[in-house]
């Protein structure tokens, strides 16, 4: 019973890996599992696979819904499905929960087979490089040598960039949305406050809270509230909430007076109910550490010299978290290498979150790009 | 033993008020005290007084130092002193800690004479209007009918605006720096996260923590860290900290890796040692509630119609907390009323904090303005 334009009921699957995963930090997981979903069909040439990489709080559940939970819609369902910009009638699309996550792949809440207890604070600090490494192994298992495209927004875009740098022969197109080549000091600062909110929560217990029957809810809630502010533009917030008062007047208290306060508390509470605090720490750290130019003396052009994929780079004018100027740095570095790159700066009011929204110009662009990718597959 | 350009050793004084202070909320303090400092001398005509209003975390200690604590320099000492832009050889300058504060004026940590215990959560929610009301009473006591100028930055600028609206006959000049006519949804959102950090700290105890021998340090620390990010521009943070690593390499942990993390933690710790959490709640709420246009159907021009003071409005290009556009709204509303207003947008990289820094163009402008104020006094 498909909904129109939907991939239908998604089937999350688990892939078990018995070989060790070596992390950039030097840490090792002897074995691990990845949770993933696929939509559409792999063609005979195995050439139509597209990997969709998730950002901070998302998962392998990229499109469709669950038969037993029909309101649980994939996080990029507006982009991916039959007849959608990334058309699952043409492409075989893969979403995967990264290692360290909290949606089924091995992460801090998983049981460490060596101790019989959750990893907790002992889970390795993961990096974008580690994720791409793990994703490449999953591709091997699925029999995919080369991706037609790797695509992502925000932190997902960092993974698409890293794919192009690390596995140039395995990726024909990189779609890099709302990206930055590295976090700014302000970006790191917001991540740090969120982490401090979590690690100073008395229920954090150094990260080993699972067996104590508590979660650092307060910290996680604050982390999400801070995050949310940075995902929206000042204008979008003003448009959405203004200074609207819940009861029509100020009440001279510290409870909710303004709609925006109610919204933030709700978002924080919701998030604290489903997300794992250790995963939040890991993912923000992966953001902080990503800096491909770092090992090239800060030269992004050198860092991208190995990349041969065609790039589509998209930014949004109102994104103040990863501003358009940061995307232009990526484009310039690609052009320095005479790479094939298209760049669009979409005039959208929604801030960083715009990459998840259904802006017609944005979606038309991605659609046109995939038309070309599809045409190239056939030729 | 004066330092050059310094007003010298400041003498904080307490003024006791036995008459009740009625708050906008309807609450009443039967009696209260205000802590204040003055610099320079009141002239015979009592016409050279300048009131300097403080912002979020500052106090009555505006200039000079303390004889027994010479490193405790007033927060606007670069602006105020002999030969400085606001020249204490010419003007009689007053700094006052607002009611609800934590630097000596009656506030949540003060003993409520009715109960013999600290006010704590029972301290009235204060507004900018209440502060101006209390400041006007202090002026009465000091024998000052009319201020040559009322001056402030950020929240202090809101008080200068409110003076011009409420007591037009008592203020000849309003100097309004890094201001906004009202907080945006994003501004309120940041305040809300800071308040939530404090009120969800287990040591907050609903605001009545004083007698329990604890303070909500964790919350206050986070609140300050969030605030700090909004006071600095992205560029200024990048200039100051970049992605500089404390030990030269990432360490794959959640402790300090980047300099900016160390800076934020240090600022948070320092603040939590001297600032009161209840005062933080009160002051952020006063910011949220200030909206003079509110009772005029959102029409700022109508709200400012009563103001007759000459205005100097100054904004800073890199201030993303209260952007230059917000200052331009104030200027437009004044021009709608054909008021005398000068406006300068200073090209400064430091963000909102620029109002506290010694930018030569900014200071030259304020100096020139006070030259004119002084000339008018003499004529």
């Amino acid at each position: 019973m498909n909904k129109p334009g939907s991939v239908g009921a998604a089937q999350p699957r688990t892939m078990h890996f018995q070989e060790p995963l070596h992390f950039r930090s030097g840490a090792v997981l002897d074995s691990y599992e990845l949770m993933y979903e696929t939509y559409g069909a792999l063609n005979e040439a195995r050439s139509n696979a597209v990997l969709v990489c998730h950002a901070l709080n998302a998962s392998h559940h990229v499109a469709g819904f669950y038969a037993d939970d029909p309101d649980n819609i994939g996080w990029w369902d507006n982009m991916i499905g039959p007849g959608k910009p990334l058309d699952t009638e043409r492409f075989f699309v893969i979403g995967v929960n990264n290692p360290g996550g909290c949606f089924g792949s091995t992460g801090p809440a998983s049981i460490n087979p060596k101790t019989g207890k959750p990893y907790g604070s002992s889970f390795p600090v993961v990096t974008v490089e580690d994720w791409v490494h793990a994703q490449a192994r999953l591709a091997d298992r699925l029999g995919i040598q080369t991706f037609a495209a790797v695509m992502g927004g925000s932190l997902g875009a960092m993974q698409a960039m890293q794919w192009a740098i690390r596995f140039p022969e395995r990726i024909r197109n990189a779609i890099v949305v709302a990206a930055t080549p590295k976090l700014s000091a302000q970006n790191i600062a917001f991540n740090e406050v969120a982490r401090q909110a979590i690690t100073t929560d008395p229920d954090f217990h150094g990260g080993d809270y699972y067996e104590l029957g508590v979660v650092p809810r307060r910290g996680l809630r604050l982390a999400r509230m801070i995050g949310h502010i940075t995902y929206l533009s000042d204008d979008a917030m003003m448009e959405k909430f203004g200074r609207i008062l819940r009861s029509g007047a100020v009440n001279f208290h510290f409870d909710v007076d303004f709609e925006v306060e109610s919204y933030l508390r709700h978002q924080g509470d919701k998030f604290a109910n489903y997300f794992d605090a250790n995963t939040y720490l890991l993912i923000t750290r992966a953001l902080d550490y990503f800096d491909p130019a770092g090992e090239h003396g800060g030269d992004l052009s050198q860092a991208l010299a190995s990349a041969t994929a065609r790039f589509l780079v998209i930014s949004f004018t109102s994104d103040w978290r990863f501003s358009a100027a940061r995307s232009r740095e990526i484009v310039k570095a690609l052009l320095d290498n005479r790479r094939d790159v298209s760049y669009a700066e979409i005039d959208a009011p929604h801030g960083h979150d715009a990459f998840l929204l259904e802006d017609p110009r944005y979606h038309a662009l991605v659609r046109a790009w995939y038309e070309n990718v599809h045409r190239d597959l056939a030729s």
Side-chain angles (χ1 to χ4, degrees), chain A:
Chain A
M1 196 185 69
N2 269 16
K3 302 178 186 176
S6 170
V7 300
Q11 303 286 347
R13 289 188 182 84
T14 301
M15 185 78 83
H16 186 81
F17 295 82
Q18 200 51 51
E19 63 264 52
L21 185 63
H22 291 265
F23 290 79
R24 214 182 109 194
S25 67
V28 183
L29 280 188
D30 288 337
S31 65
Y32 60 100
E33 294 186 333
L34 293 181
M35 185 77 96
Y36 69 104
E37 292 181 9
T38 68
Y39 325 100
L42 191 59
N43 62 12
E44 245 180 86
R46 298 178 173 273
S47 63
N48 70 333
V50 174
L51 177 67
V52 177
C53 304
H54 70 75
L56 208 156
N57 68 313
S59 74
H60 53 281
H61 186 36
V62 175
F65 53 91
Y66 291 134
D68 60 352
D69 185 7
D71 293 335
N72 188 346
I73 309 287
W75 58 270
W76 222 348
D77 190 78
N78 62 25
M79 181 68 88
I80 297 155
K84 289 186 177 168
L86 173 46
D87 190 344
T88 50
E89 307 275 353
R90 294 172 163 182
F91 293 99
F92 177 64
V93 178
I94 303 169
V96 56
N97 187 214
N98 286 321
C102 54
F103 296 111
S105 293
T106 301
S110 306
I111 299 298
N112 179 348
K114 282 186 188 160
T115 64
K117 293 181 177 178
Y119 284 99
S121 62
S122 73
F123 196 87
V125 168
V126 290
T127 64
V128 169
E129 292 85 339
D130 298 324
W131 287 332
V132 166
H133 180 192
Q135 290 160 3
R137 279 207 188 157
L138 177 66
D140 293 343
R141 285 283 193 90
L142 296 173
I144 297 157
Q145 174 52 31
T146 305
F147 280 108
V150 179
M151 174 180 192
S154 191
L155 175 56
M158 290 175 172
Q159 295 162 59
M161 286 176 68
Q162 179 60 23
W163 262 96
I165 292 169
R166 177 66 186 78
F167 297 113
E169 73 291 355
R170 299 191 70 173
I171 163 176
R172 282 196 296 269
N173 293 273
I175 302 189
V176 168
V177 189
T180 180
K182 64 182 178 204
L183 296 202
S184 70
Q186 188 190 71
N187 295 147
I188 295 172
F190 279 121
N191 281 348
E192 168 67 0
V193 182
R195 280 192 297 265
Q196 286 288 300
I198 290 169
T199 59
T200 65
D201 185 323
D203 286 333
F204 180 63
H205 298 286
D208 298 310
Y209 45 84
Y210 306 103
E211 294 196 302
L212 301 170
V214 293
V215 289
R217 259 194 83 77
R218 286 173 294 244
L220 202 47
R221 188 171 170 272
L222 292 169
R224 182 57 165 177
M225 293 171 85
I226 295 165
H228 244 284
I229 301 176
T230 69
Y231 304 151
L232 300 176
S233 70
D234 191 9
D235 287 347
M237 273 196 141
M238 209 56 194
E239 178 77 22
K240 197 165 179 177
F241 308 108
R243 295 177 49 90
I244 295 169
L245 292 160
R246 263 202 132 181
S247 65
V250 297
N251 285 304
F252 301 102
H253 61 194
F254 305 118
D255 212 331
V256 167
D257 262 332
F258 296 94
E259 282 293 351
V260 67
E261 296 174 318
S262 169
Y263 171 81
L264 283 178
R265 290 186 190 191
H266 174 71
Q267 293 295 333
D269 288 336
K270 209 170 67 172
F271 190 67
N273 283 337
Y274 75 80
F275 208 82
D276 180 60
N278 280 319
T279 293
Y280 201 90
L281 300 181
L282 290 170
I283 296 191
T284 54
R285 219 28 161 175
L287 277 159
D288 292 353
Y289 284 176
F290 184 68
D291 180 13
E295 55 192 89
H296 299 274
D299 187 333
L300 187 62
S301 306
Q302 269 190 43
L304 283 166
S306 63
T308 53
R310 276 170 306 187
F311 274 74
L312 172 61
V313 178
I314 299 175
S315 69
F316 302 95
T317 49
S318 59
D319 184 350
W320 63 277
R321 186 168 185 249
F322 298 164
S323 73
R326 314 309 307 274
S327 283
R328 278 184 243 123
E329 293 173 33
I330 298 167
V331 173
K332 183 192 175 289
L334 289 165
L335 291 176
D336 285 345
N337 288 299
R338 300 175 176 277
R339 293 296 179 263
D340 188 348
V341 52
S342 291
Y343 174 58
E345 211 164 294
I346 307 277
D347 188 7
H350 311 98
H352 190 61
D353 259 1
F355 87 86
L356 292 167
L357 302 178
E358 204 171 333
D359 181 284
R361 287 166 300 179
Y362 163 42
H363 274 207
L365 192 66
V366 176
R367 182 184 292 278
W369 186 268
Y370 276 113
E371 295 279 354
N372 282 334
V373 176
H374 180 67
R375 201 169 301 126
D376 289 348
L377 286 186
S379 66

